[in-house]
Amino acid sequence: MFNIIIFGKPGSGKGTQADFLKNKYDLYHISTGDLFRKNITTETKLGLEAKSYLDNGDLVPDSVTIKMLENEVLLNKDVKGYIFDGFPRTLNQAESLDFFLESINHNINATIALDVSEDELISRLLERGKITNRSDDQDVNKIKNRFNEYNNKTSILINFYKNQNKFYSVDGKGSIDDITLRLFNLIDSLI
Ligand code: AMP
């Protein structure tokens, strides 16, 4: 098992790069944002519960998010490893993930952050909003709120994983191919 967390602010390229990593290392990709959006589209109870949080750019409460993540892992157990994208985003989620993975005899091998400035991210997200129709990508105030959520609740995880000697940072600027290559080089050095 090789389990990776792909970490970074909204728009840093986590989803795009997770797709490449998933294919190269044969990992199962779990994006909590995608799971929420799928539930919102299909109007499940979970989707209805999460909708207003996503619309405002707020984090969905831990109780809902952690349960959803654990279910997704348990439903997809016969895999070579997981790539967690957009999870964990709070200390409680990170601690729960460690506890949960340990209970099924797994652990996180590496947390890899994509490092990009907020100015660059705002223009990337507004561009993405034109293509994807995501309402949380179309409004600068919502984007800034997502950065605030990251800065207030998520950035502390850098130290959490540094303390476990599992934190790595990769320059998230440049072409998609260049960033993928940086990630491949890093992961190859860890496997
Ligand atoms: P993303 O696609 O990762 O940018 O996530 C979109 C939105 O989904 C976030 O702004 C949150 O509202 C929600 N979300 C995704 N992952 C989490 C998480 N781990 N904890 C809480 N909310 C989340």
Side-chain angles (χ1 to χ4, degrees), residues 10 14 32-34 36-37 53-54 57-60 65 86-89 93 128 134 136 146:
K14 299 188 295 294
T32 40
D34 285 351
F36 282 129
R37 281 184 289 275
Y53 296 98
L54 272 89
D58 292 330
L59 291 188
V60 178
T65 310
F87 186 96
R89 266 168 146 119
Q93 290 180 16
R128 186 170 76 181
R134 271 182 64 170
D136 60 343
R146 286 155 72 200

Side-chain angles (χ1 to χ4, degrees), residues 69-150:
L69 185 281
E70 293 182 356
N71 281 340
E72 188 68 11
V73 169
L74 293 174
L75 284 172
N76 298 282
K77 279 208 298 204
D78 195 16
V79 299
K80 290 199 176 146
Y82 298 94
I83 175 155
F84 298 103
D85 159 12
F87 186 96
R89 266 168 146 119
T90 64
L91 187 58
N92 185 18
Q93 290 180 16
E95 287 171 347
S96 301
L97 181 63
D98 275 356
F99 188 73
F100 169 68
L101 288 178
E102 206 182 303
S103 75
I104 51 171
N105 290 321
H106 299 321
N107 66 299
I108 293 297
N109 295 87
T111 295
I112 307 175
L114 291 170
D115 186 28
V116 188
S117 73
E118 287 192 4
D119 282 348
E120 156 114 22
L121 291 175
I122 291 178
S123 45
R124 278 193 197 177
L125 287 167
L126 290 172
E127 277 310 305
R128 186 170 76 181
K130 289 182 197 160
I131 301 164
T132 61
N133 239 5
R134 271 182 64 170
S135 66
D136 60 343
D137 281 348
Q138 291 171 339
D139 177 335
V140 177
N141 289 326
K142 290 183 183 178
I143 291 174
K144 289 194 171 155
N145 186 42
R146 286 155 72 200
F147 291 160
N148 281 340
E149 289 283 72
Y150 174 92

Side-chain angles (χ1 to χ4, degrees), residues 36-70:
F36 282 129
R37 281 184 289 275
K38 204 157 68 183
N39 276 280
I40 290 169
T41 306
T42 52
E43 296 183 345
T44 64
K45 185 168 165 277
L46 175 77
L48 294 175
E49 229 173 321
K51 188 175 183 326
S52 65
Y53 296 98
L54 272 89
D55 282 347
N56 295 325
D58 292 330
L59 291 188
V60 178
D62 282 347
S63 52
V64 178
T65 310
I66 292 168
K67 218 183 318 154
M68 177 180 78
L69 185 281
E70 293 182 356

